Amino acid sequence: MIKQVLSTSLISLAIGFIAELLNIWLGTKFLYSFFASNLVTILVALLAVNAATMGIVLTKMRDLIDKNGNAEVFKKTRANMLLSIKEQIALIILATVILSVKSASAIQNIENMPFLLNSIVTGIFVYALLVLYDTAKGVLVIVDFNG
């Protein structure tokens, strides 16, 4: 699981870095202002969507277990669901901290620090989207499950 989190983190940070370079190249400040005012709200909303979706998936898993037995088949699925909730809570906390630190005037004066923090903020958003994608894949696995 640590390998999975590390891999997702690196992919997200790389995409965040590329997006930040693109923002600088285009001379736009859209992502900065959008994430500053909306990121934590979006992350909380995505957590709510994922939690509701997981509730539906868990209900379907319970039906399958009651019908076919073999609860062990879903052990890894349940562990990954718990991990995704933990990841999302960590993302909310990290986004709150990074956005707070980013607005400090002392940080703004450090060379390349705004670039780094903006890359991280965009990476947090990308990570949350990847978690949402994983949840959607989980729904499809459950729908296609044959017992």
Side-chain angles (χ1 to χ4, degrees), residues 80-100:
N80 279 326
M81 287 179 165
L82 181 59
L83 175 64
S84 74
I85 295 292
K86 290 176 182 177
E87 287 172 320
Q88 289 181 295
I89 291 170
L91 289 174
I92 292 167
I93 293 167
L94 184 62
T96 304
V97 169
I98 296 290
L99 289 171
S100 297

PDB file of all heavy atoms in Angstrom, residues 80-100:
ATOM      1  N   ASN A  80      -8.438  -1.294   0.655  1.00  0.00           N
ATOM      2  CA  ASN A  80      -8.211  -0.168  -0.254  1.00  0.00           C
ATOM      3  C   ASN A  80      -9.236   0.937  -0.057  1.00  0.00           C
ATOM      4  O   ASN A  80      -8.920   2.120  -0.213  1.00  0.00           O
ATOM      5  CB  ASN A  80      -8.198  -0.642  -1.711  1.00  0.00           C
ATOM      6  CG  ASN A  80      -6.868  -1.242  -2.096  1.00  0.00           C
ATOM      7  OD1 ASN A  80      -5.828  -0.807  -1.629  1.00  0.00           O
ATOM      8  ND2 ASN A  80      -6.907  -2.245  -2.937  1.00  0.00           N
ATOM      9  N   MET A  81     -10.460   0.569   0.292  1.00  0.00           N
ATOM     10  CA  MET A  81     -11.478   1.580   0.587  1.00  0.00           C
ATOM     11  C   MET A  81     -11.088   2.400   1.817  1.00  0.00           C
ATOM     12  O   MET A  81     -11.190   3.628   1.811  1.00  0.00           O
ATOM     13  CB  MET A  81     -12.837   0.921   0.811  1.00  0.00           C
ATOM     14  CG  MET A  81     -13.476   0.414  -0.430  1.00  0.00           C
ATOM     15  SD  MET A  81     -15.050  -0.352  -0.002  1.00  0.00           S
ATOM     16  CE  MET A  81     -15.800  -0.441  -1.608  1.00  0.00           C
ATOM     17  N   LEU A  82     -10.637   1.720   2.841  1.00  0.00           N
ATOM     18  CA  LEU A  82     -10.201   2.418   4.051  1.00  0.00           C
ATOM     19  C   LEU A  82      -9.007   3.315   3.743  1.00  0.00           C
ATOM     20  O   LEU A  82      -8.943   4.464   4.201  1.00  0.00           O
ATOM     21  CB  LEU A  82      -9.850   1.411   5.151  1.00  0.00           C
ATOM     22  CG  LEU A  82      -9.393   2.008   6.478  1.00  0.00           C
ATOM     23  CD1 LEU A  82     -10.468   2.916   7.072  1.00  0.00           C
ATOM     24  CD2 LEU A  82      -9.029   0.904   7.451  1.00  0.00           C
ATOM     25  N   LEU A  83      -8.070   2.816   2.945  1.00  0.00           N
ATOM     26  CA  LEU A  83      -6.916   3.620   2.553  1.00  0.00           C
ATOM     27  C   LEU A  83      -7.349   4.877   1.810  1.00  0.00           C
ATOM     28  O   LEU A  83      -6.827   5.968   2.065  1.00  0.00           O
ATOM     29  CB  LEU A  83      -5.957   2.794   1.685  1.00  0.00           C
ATOM     30  CG  LEU A  83      -4.759   3.552   1.106  1.00  0.00           C
ATOM     31  CD1 LEU A  83      -3.853   4.059   2.223  1.00  0.00           C
ATOM     32  CD2 LEU A  83      -3.989   2.669   0.141  1.00  0.00           C
ATOM     33  N   SER A  84      -8.317   4.752   0.911  1.00  0.00           N
ATOM     34  CA  SER A  84      -8.744   5.925   0.147  1.00  0.00           C
ATOM     35  C   SER A  84      -9.388   6.978   1.041  1.00  0.00           C
ATOM     36  O   SER A  84      -9.188   8.178   0.830  1.00  0.00           O
ATOM     37  CB  SER A  84      -9.682   5.529  -0.995  1.00  0.00           C
ATOM     38  OG  SER A  84     -10.956   5.199  -0.528  1.00  0.00           O
ATOM     39  N   ILE A  85     -10.120   6.551   2.067  1.00  0.00           N
ATOM     40  CA  ILE A  85     -10.692   7.511   3.022  1.00  0.00           C
ATOM     41  C   ILE A  85      -9.570   8.226   3.772  1.00  0.00           C
ATOM     42  O   ILE A  85      -9.582   9.448   3.931  1.00  0.00           O
ATOM     43  CB  ILE A  85     -11.655   6.809   4.006  1.00  0.00           C
ATOM     44  CG1 ILE A  85     -12.874   6.259   3.279  1.00  0.00           C
ATOM     45  CG2 ILE A  85     -12.059   7.740   5.141  1.00  0.00           C
ATOM     46  CD1 ILE A  85     -13.804   7.300   2.712  1.00  0.00           C
ATOM     47  N   LYS A  86      -8.577   7.464   4.216  1.00  0.00           N
ATOM     48  CA  LYS A  86      -7.432   8.061   4.911  1.00  0.00           C
ATOM     49  C   LYS A  86      -6.682   9.033   4.004  1.00  0.00           C
ATOM     50  O   LYS A  86      -6.273  10.114   4.440  1.00  0.00           O
ATOM     51  CB  LYS A  86      -6.480   6.971   5.406  1.00  0.00           C
ATOM     52  CG  LYS A  86      -7.027   6.144   6.539  1.00  0.00           C
ATOM     53  CD  LYS A  86      -6.066   5.032   6.918  1.00  0.00           C
ATOM     54  CE  LYS A  86      -6.601   4.152   8.023  1.00  0.00           C
ATOM     55  NZ  LYS A  86      -5.702   3.034   8.341  1.00  0.00           N
ATOM     56  N   GLU A  87      -6.503   8.643   2.743  1.00  0.00           N
ATOM     57  CA  GLU A  87      -5.820   9.518   1.791  1.00  0.00           C
ATOM     58  C   GLU A  87      -6.581  10.825   1.622  1.00  0.00           C
ATOM     59  O   GLU A  87      -5.986  11.904   1.620  1.00  0.00           O
ATOM     60  CB  GLU A  87      -5.703   8.841   0.417  1.00  0.00           C
ATOM     61  CG  GLU A  87      -4.695   7.731   0.342  1.00  0.00           C
ATOM     62  CD  GLU A  87      -4.772   6.982  -0.969  1.00  0.00           C
ATOM     63  OE1 GLU A  87      -5.881   6.732  -1.482  1.00  0.00           O
ATOM     64  OE2 GLU A  87      -3.691   6.636  -1.489  1.00  0.00           O
ATOM     65  N   GLN A  88      -7.882  10.731   1.488  1.00  0.00           N
ATOM     66  CA  GLN A  88      -8.681  11.933   1.277  1.00  0.00           C
ATOM     67  C   GLN A  88      -8.663  12.858   2.491  1.00  0.00           C
ATOM     68  O   GLN A  88      -8.592  14.074   2.336  1.00  0.00           O
ATOM     69  CB  GLN A  88     -10.110  11.563   0.906  1.00  0.00           C
ATOM     70  CG  GLN A  88     -10.189  10.979  -0.488  1.00  0.00           C
ATOM     71  CD  GLN A  88     -11.601  10.627  -0.865  1.00  0.00           C
ATOM     72  OE1 GLN A  88     -12.204   9.748  -0.261  1.00  0.00           O
ATOM     73  NE2 GLN A  88     -12.129  11.305  -1.849  1.00  0.00           N
ATOM     74  N   ILE A  89      -8.708  12.299   3.670  1.00  0.00           N
ATOM     75  CA  ILE A  89      -8.629  13.128   4.878  1.00  0.00           C
ATOM     76  C   ILE A  89      -7.256  13.793   4.947  1.00  0.00           C
ATOM     77  O   ILE A  89      -7.147  14.989   5.253  1.00  0.00           O
ATOM     78  CB  ILE A  89      -8.932  12.293   6.135  1.00  0.00           C
ATOM     79  CG1 ILE A  89     -10.411  11.896   6.139  1.00  0.00           C
ATOM     80  CG2 ILE A  89      -8.565  13.047   7.407  1.00  0.00           C
ATOM     81  CD1 ILE A  89     -10.798  10.883   7.185  1.00  0.00           C
ATOM     82  N   ALA A  90      -6.207  13.041   4.631  1.00  0.00           N
ATOM     83  CA  ALA A  90      -4.855  13.616   4.610  1.00  0.00           C
ATOM     84  C   ALA A  90      -4.750  14.728   3.570  1.00  0.00           C
ATOM     85  O   ALA A  90      -4.104  15.763   3.811  1.00  0.00           O
ATOM     86  CB  ALA A  90      -3.818  12.527   4.337  1.00  0.00           C
ATOM     87  N   LEU A  91      -5.385  14.550   2.421  1.00  0.00           N
ATOM     88  CA  LEU A  91      -5.354  15.585   1.379  1.00  0.00           C
ATOM     89  C   LEU A  91      -6.046  16.862   1.850  1.00  0.00           C
ATOM     90  O   LEU A  91      -5.572  17.967   1.565  1.00  0.00           O
ATOM     91  CB  LEU A  91      -6.019  15.080   0.099  1.00  0.00           C
ATOM     92  CG  LEU A  91      -5.265  14.026  -0.697  1.00  0.00           C
ATOM     93  CD1 LEU A  91      -6.128  13.517  -1.860  1.00  0.00           C
ATOM     94  CD2 LEU A  91      -3.946  14.554  -1.205  1.00  0.00           C
ATOM     95  N   ILE A  92      -7.154  16.721   2.561  1.00  0.00           N
ATOM     96  CA  ILE A  92      -7.865  17.897   3.080  1.00  0.00           C
ATOM     97  C   ILE A  92      -6.980  18.647   4.067  1.00  0.00           C
ATOM     98  O   ILE A  92      -6.850  19.877   4.004  1.00  0.00           O
ATOM     99  CB  ILE A  92      -9.207  17.488   3.723  1.00  0.00           C
ATOM    100  CG1 ILE A  92     -10.170  16.975   2.649  1.00  0.00           C
ATOM    101  CG2 ILE A  92      -9.823  18.653   4.500  1.00  0.00           C
ATOM    102  CD1 ILE A  92     -11.398  16.265   3.190  1.00  0.00           C
ATOM    103  N   ILE A  93      -6.345  17.909   4.972  1.00  0.00           N
ATOM    104  CA  ILE A  93      -5.456  18.538   5.957  1.00  0.00           C
ATOM    105  C   ILE A  93      -4.263  19.186   5.261  1.00  0.00           C
ATOM    106  O   ILE A  93      -3.916  20.349   5.537  1.00  0.00           O
ATOM    107  CB  ILE A  93      -5.000  17.508   7.006  1.00  0.00           C
ATOM    108  CG1 ILE A  93      -6.198  17.056   7.852  1.00  0.00           C
ATOM    109  CG2 ILE A  93      -3.880  18.067   7.881  1.00  0.00           C
ATOM    110  CD1 ILE A  93      -5.935  15.834   8.704  1.00  0.00           C
ATOM    111  N   LEU A  94      -3.636  18.450   4.342  1.00  0.00           N
ATOM    112  CA  LEU A  94      -2.470  18.976   3.625  1.00  0.00           C
ATOM    113  C   LEU A  94      -2.832  20.216   2.812  1.00  0.00           C
ATOM    114  O   LEU A  94      -2.090  21.200   2.810  1.00  0.00           O
ATOM    115  CB  LEU A  94      -1.876  17.893   2.726  1.00  0.00           C
ATOM    116  CG  LEU A  94      -0.596  18.243   1.985  1.00  0.00           C
ATOM    117  CD1 LEU A  94       0.528  18.539   2.978  1.00  0.00           C
ATOM    118  CD2 LEU A  94      -0.195  17.100   1.065  1.00  0.00           C
ATOM    119  N   ALA A  95      -3.967  20.190   2.132  1.00  0.00           N
ATOM    120  CA  ALA A  95      -4.393  21.347   1.343  1.00  0.00           C
ATOM    121  C   ALA A  95      -4.614  22.564   2.237  1.00  0.00           C
ATOM    122  O   ALA A  95      -4.197  23.675   1.892  1.00  0.00           O
ATOM    123  CB  ALA A  95      -5.667  21.025   0.575  1.00  0.00           C
ATOM    124  N   THR A  96      -5.223  22.350   3.378  1.00  0.00           N
ATOM    125  CA  THR A  96      -5.458  23.452   4.316  1.00  0.00           C
ATOM    126  C   THR A  96      -4.137  24.052   4.791  1.00  0.00           C
ATOM    127  O   THR A  96      -3.969  25.282   4.811  1.00  0.00           O
ATOM    128  CB  THR A  96      -6.296  22.966   5.518  1.00  0.00           C
ATOM    129  OG1 THR A  96      -7.507  22.387   5.033  1.00  0.00           O
ATOM    130  CG2 THR A  96      -6.603  24.096   6.468  1.00  0.00           C
ATOM    131  N   VAL A  97      -3.194  23.195   5.140  1.00  0.00           N
ATOM    132  CA  VAL A  97      -1.884  23.670   5.608  1.00  0.00           C
ATOM    133  C   VAL A  97      -1.133  24.391   4.493  1.00  0.00           C
ATOM    134  O   VAL A  97      -0.626  25.506   4.688  1.00  0.00           O
ATOM    135  CB  VAL A  97      -1.046  22.495   6.173  1.00  0.00           C
ATOM    136  CG1 VAL A  97       0.388  22.906   6.421  1.00  0.00           C
ATOM    137  CG2 VAL A  97      -1.685  21.955   7.438  1.00  0.00           C
ATOM    138  N   ILE A  98      -1.059  23.781   3.323  1.00  0.00           N
ATOM    139  CA  ILE A  98      -0.310  24.374   2.211  1.00  0.00           C
ATOM    140  C   ILE A  98      -0.925  25.705   1.793  1.00  0.00           C
ATOM    141  O   ILE A  98      -0.202  26.686   1.565  1.00  0.00           O
ATOM    142  CB  ILE A  98      -0.240  23.411   0.997  1.00  0.00           C
ATOM    143  CG1 ILE A  98       0.541  22.156   1.341  1.00  0.00           C
ATOM    144  CG2 ILE A  98       0.355  24.098  -0.220  1.00  0.00           C
ATOM    145  CD1 ILE A  98       2.023  22.340   1.529  1.00  0.00           C
ATOM    146  N   LEU A  99      -2.241  25.775   1.695  1.00  0.00           N
ATOM    147  CA  LEU A  99      -2.884  27.029   1.309  1.00  0.00           C
ATOM    148  C   LEU A  99      -2.672  28.108   2.365  1.00  0.00           C
ATOM    149  O   LEU A  99      -2.514  29.287   2.033  1.00  0.00           O
ATOM    150  CB  LEU A  99      -4.377  26.811   1.048  1.00  0.00           C
ATOM    151  CG  LEU A  99      -4.704  26.027  -0.221  1.00  0.00           C
ATOM    152  CD1 LEU A  99      -6.190  25.667  -0.267  1.00  0.00           C
ATOM    153  CD2 LEU A  99      -4.299  26.797  -1.468  1.00  0.00           C
ATOM    154  N   SER A 100      -2.644  27.728   3.639  1.00  0.00           N
ATOM    155  CA  SER A 100      -2.380  28.698   4.706  1.00  0.00           C
ATOM    156  C   SER A 100      -0.948  29.213   4.640  1.00  0.00           C
ATOM    157  O   SER A 100      -0.701  30.419   4.715  1.00  0.00           O
ATOM    158  CB  SER A 100      -2.633  28.070   6.074  1.00  0.00           C
ATOM    159  OG  SER A 100      -3.969  27.713   6.212  1.00  0.00           O
TER     160      SER A 100
END
